[in-house]
Amino acid sequence: MNRKLEQGLATRARLLDAATNLFAEHGYAGTSVDMVLAAADLSRGAFYHHFASKEAVFEAAVEATESRIIGALAEQAAVADSAKHSLVLGCQAYLRMARDPVVARLCLIDAPNVLGWDRWRELDARYGFGLMKMGVEAAAHDARLPAELVDSLAHVLLAALMELALLVARADKPRVALRRSEETMATLIEALFPSGE
């Protein structure tokens, strides 16, 4: 039984990896189930055993990517010397990840359209917004800002971060866009959470 479970998980992972790469390269509209099957070298039955539709495998790919992003952001934030610094490092790390075709295409460009606004926001609340809110809560506490502002501040910062990430992802000169976007986020965070020194 364990061997069968392992084989099932391996098959699902192959399908998910193949789909993720194809979605990143061709976008959701330009990727078909047949392309995923060919890339994974698996049967249609194997696909539909694990995923009900192309949209289902896309959603799974977005969730896996969001989970990977959160892990990377947590690593970056861990080296910070303050809550505000942690926010800056986490936001800057996300902006650098926006240059990754998987992050850019799946999470920033296609997800809102494919999954619909409500489902996309639900996933975002579980991953990005949840992490942002924790960071804002700590920075707001350090800056002695009213606790009732935390939710609004987290929304403002996340909106700015997403817009800047799209700018980086679509830029003709991504290095320049990245540098300016990193500086912008650092400036915005400094303005919102002034040091009490």
Side-chain angles (χ1 to χ4, degrees):
M1 193 59 146
N2 284 343
R3 182 165 167 71
K4 193 170 184 179
L5 179 62
E6 285 177 17
Q7 287 176 333
L9 290 173
T11 298
R12 186 181 190 283
R14 273 174 61 191
L15 286 164
L16 193 55
D17 286 346
T20 299
N21 292 332
L22 288 166
F23 289 137
E25 185 177 349
H26 303 287
Y28 180 80
T31 300
S32 67
V33 170
D34 287 337
M35 290 169 70
V36 174
L37 296 177
D41 194 25
L42 290 166
S43 69
R44 189 169 293 279
F47 180 91
Y48 287 108
H49 176 74
H50 293 283
F51 302 103
S53 62
K54 182 174 89 166
E55 184 177 326
V57 73
F58 178 81
E59 184 171 330
V62 170
E63 284 209 62
T65 304
E66 291 281 4
S67 182
R68 177 173 61 90
I69 290 168
I70 294 302
L73 295 182
E75 281 180 26
Q76 287 294 314
V79 301
D81 57 10
S82 69
K84 180 167 59 177
H85 189 215
S86 176
L87 261 181
V88 170
L89 291 180
C91 289
Q92 290 177 338
Y94 185 77
L95 291 170
R96 288 191 298 275
M97 283 186 263
R99 295 173 62 190
D100 176 340
V102 172
V103 173
R105 192 64 188 245
L106 273 70
C107 299
L108 295 172
I109 298 169
D110 282 351
N113 296 324
V114 175
L115 302 178
W117 180 256
D118 290 337
R119 180 63 181 145
W120 180 60
R121 293 293 288 176
E122 183 183 317
L123 287 176
D124 188 53
R126 191 179 323 150
Y127 295 100
F129 183 72
L131 189 63
M132 177 67 80
K133 190 170 178 180
M134 285 190 328
V136 167
E137 192 168 33
H141 178 268
D142 290 354
R144 297 183 177 154
L145 296 176
E148 59 267 20
L149 294 181
V150 166
D151 197 61
S152 297
L153 286 168
H155 278 286
V156 166
L157 271 182
L158 187 62
L161 181 61
M162 298 300 281
E163 283 299 315
L164 290 170
L166 275 168
L167 186 72
V168 170
R170 294 183 169 189
D172 291 333
K173 295 180 179 177
R175 287 184 183 170
V176 173
L178 175 61
R179 182 176 45 78
R180 288 180 182 156
S181 295
E182 287 178 328
E183 289 172 5
T184 299
M185 281 307 296
T187 302
L188 179 58
I189 291 167
E190 182 59 45
L192 289 173
F193 306 99
S195 300
E197 301 168 343

